[in-house]
């Protein structure tokens, strides 16, 4: 048999949600309970090479140079099954993926990972797939990956069906110079990941109220971003994060992601904004690390206050970033 290999490399950025995705209407299609809004993170990205090869008997996966564990391999192979069907190929793939941010810091890698994987897999076969469809396909691998396809500030519409649930940019990355300072409160791997968490969201009596009011927060946060109104942005972003964590804490079984230090930082952030007029607000995903979203002019002052408050603390920093793209072959 002649060896036929078609490969491409793509890069996608991680993103931080300002209005969160939590819970699915359709678990297998990852149709979210509500729309969400996020910002791509320029400095946190995944670069993935996909090589479709007719001689492989199974998909192969390495992450940061090491053979991936069975859980990761199964999830990627399942996503490659979806892509095989769409791209009309029966070949298996060799997938090599690298994150430029430290693994195991509780910083979501599934968004950038599935956006880069989908983009590279389609590019390798020169398939003419629109950005919209790349977002739809990425969503099937990880919901938040839908948002890492378009650039800058992004809205993922909940949609009515598989075809209508995708993300689109509503402002470019340079529209508003925001910085995400991620205070690493714990490097411990989360016991309950987002995928399992989405399944329990509906068991909280607060989830219907959170979902029913999400559209208001979507329009208020988008309008605050478009007007560059930090005060209004901060109130909505913090309220939305608190609402998602209220749902988490009241789900069955309850999920407590905040650590004592997370709360200390959240209080500090509100104090710095209210008493010192620093443009900073907090948001937390499914983990204890605190994303401090700041105006770039205030980022150094916020980082200094984080160090004063917490002592030696690891802080990752990122500007707003672009969408997923294919790297030129060398
Ligand atoms: C708390 O996209 O990681 O970060 O679809 O199961 O991969 P899966 O879940 P994921 O969920 C993200 C949840 C969140 C909020 C958000 O990013 O909107």
């Amino acid at each position: 048999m002649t060896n036929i290999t078609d490969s491409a490399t793509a890069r996608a950025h991680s993103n931080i949600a300002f209005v969160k995705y939590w819970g699915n209407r359709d678990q297998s299609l990852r149709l979210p309970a509500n729309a969400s809004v996020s910002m791509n993170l320029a400095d946190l990205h995944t670069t993935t090479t996909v090589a479709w090869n007719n001689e492989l008997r199974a998909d192969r996966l390495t992450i940061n140079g090491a053979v991936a564990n069975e859980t990761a391999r199964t999830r990627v192979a399942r996503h490659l099954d979806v892509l095989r069907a769409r791209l009309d190929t029966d070949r298996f793939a060799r997938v090599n993926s690298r994150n430029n941010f430290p693994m195991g810091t509780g910083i979501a890698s599934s968004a950038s990972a599935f956006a880069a994987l989908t983009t590279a897999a389609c590019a390798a076969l020169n398939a003419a797939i629109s950005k919209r469809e790349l977002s739809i396909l990425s969503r099937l691998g990880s919901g938040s990956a839908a948002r890492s396809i378009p650039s800058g500030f992004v809205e993922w519409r909940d949609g009515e069906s598989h075809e209508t649930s995708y993300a689109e940019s509503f402002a470019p990355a340079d529209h508003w110079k925001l910085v995400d300072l991620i205070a690493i409160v714990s490097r411990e791997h989360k016991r309950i990941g987002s995928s399992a968490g989405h399944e329990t969201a509906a068991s909280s009596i607060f989830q219907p109220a959170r979902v029913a009011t999400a559209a208001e927060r979507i329009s208020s946060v988008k309008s605050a971003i478009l007007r560059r109104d930090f005060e209004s942005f901060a109130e909505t972003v913090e309220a939305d994060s608190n609402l998602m964590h209220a749902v988490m804490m009241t789900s069955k079984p309850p999920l407590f992601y905040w650590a004592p230090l997370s709360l200390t930082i959240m209080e500090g952030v509100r104090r710095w904004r209210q008493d010192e007029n620093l443009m900073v607000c907090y948001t937390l995903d499914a983990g204890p690390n605190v994303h401090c979203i700041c105006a770039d002019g205030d980022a150094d002052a916020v980082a200094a206050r984080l160090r004063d408050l917490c002592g030696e603390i690891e802080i990752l920093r990122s500007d707003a970033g672009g969408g997923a793209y294919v790297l030129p072959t060398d």
Side-chain angles (χ1 to χ4, degrees):
M1 178 161 51
T2 338
N3 182 321
I4 307 169
T5 306
D6 287 303
S7 79
T9 301
R11 177 169 293 164
H13 302 272
S14 177
N15 67 71
I16 178 68
F18 299 143
V19 175
K20 308 290 190 187
Y21 149 50
W22 196 246
N24 285 311
R25 275 180 294 133
D26 182 318
Q27 195 68 32
S28 61
L29 284 177
R30 287 190 160 84
L31 292 178
N34 60 280
S36 51
V37 164
S38 62
M39 175 180 94
N40 282 344
L41 298 174
D43 303 289
L44 307 181
H45 53 72
T46 302
T47 307
T48 299
T49 301
V50 174
W52 298 105
N53 183 302
N54 62 331
E55 289 183 348
L56 286 175
R57 290 288 150 262
D59 296 314
R60 305 274 176 81
L61 172 66
T62 67
I63 301 178
N64 292 346
V67 174
N69 67 29
E70 194 51 30
T71 314
R73 205 196 63 81
T74 307
R75 188 166 172 184
V76 164
R78 208 170 287 158
H79 192 57
L80 288 170
D81 286 341
V82 169
L83 297 173
R84 269 186 278 272
R86 172 62 182 89
L87 299 169
D88 200 18
T89 182
D90 55 7
R91 285 188 265 169
F92 290 103
R94 201 181 294 281
V95 177
N96 297 322
S97 195
R98 279 188 185 278
N99 295 314
N100 80 329
F101 49 95
M103 295 271 287
T105 42
I107 300 305
S109 54
S110 68
S112 51
F114 281 94
L117 173 66
T118 307
T119 305
C122 295
L125 295 178
N126 283 320
I129 304 229
S130 65
K131 284 266 173 201
R132 176 181 296 187
E133 192 180 354
L134 282 176
S135 175
I136 290 171
L137 290 169
S138 299
R139 189 198 78 227
L140 296 172
S142 174
S144 54
R147 299 190 308 240
S148 282
I149 296 290
S151 65
F153 297 88
V154 167
E155 177 181 2
W156 169 17
R157 291 163 218 277
D158 44 356
E160 266 134 38
S161 60
H162 173 59
E163 290 76 21
T164 53
S165 186
Y166 55 86
E168 270 181 339
S169 174
F170 62 89
D174 62 3
H175 164 73
W176 195 12
K177 288 197 176 312
L178 292 181
V179 170
D180 185 4
L181 291 180
I182 312 168
I184 306 297
V185 167
S186 166
R187 276 178 164 267
E188 212 182 293
H189 214 74
K190 45 193 173 197
R191 270 155 297 177
I192 309 280
S194 321
S195 298
H198 290 297
E199 294 189 37
T200 67
S203 66
S204 164
I205 57 166
F206 296 137
Q207 173 74 343
R210 190 191 71 83
V211 170
T213 52
E216 284 162 36
R217 290 187 300 283
I218 295 271
S219 80
S220 120
V221 93
K222 279 177 70 181
S223 143
I225 290 169
L226 291 171
R227 288 178 290 120
R228 302 186 190 87
D229 175 345
F230 198 89
E231 195 51 41
S232 155
F233 170 79
E235 287 305 321
T236 309
V237 169
E238 291 185 354
D240 188 83
S241 172
N242 295 344
L243 278 165
M244 179 182 71
H245 284 271
V247 168
M248 292 163 158
M249 289 176 202
T250 51
S251 291
K252 297 180 186 82
L255 298 171
F256 290 91
Y257 286 113
W258 294 349
L261 187 57
S262 317
L263 269 169
T264 303
I265 297 173
M266 290 156 72
E267 278 171 13
V269 163
R270 286 188 72 83
R271 220 174 31 243
W272 304 329
R273 184 165 81 251
Q274 279 158 12
D275 301 348
E276 300 185 56
N277 288 325
L278 287 180
M279 286 198 239
V280 57
C281 65
Y282 65 75
T283 183
L284 290 87
D285 283 339
N289 300 323
V290 185
H291 293 253
C292 302
I293 313 295
C294 351
D296 80 329
D298 285 345
D300 288 345
V302 171
R305 276 162 188 74
L306 280 169
R307 293 205 173 85
D308 282 350
L309 187 69
C310 310
E312 274 308 299
I313 186 165
E314 187 181 355
I315 301 171
L316 301 181
R317 179 185 171 128
S318 181
D319 294 328
Y325 59 98
V326 178
L327 271 71
T329 39
D330 33 43

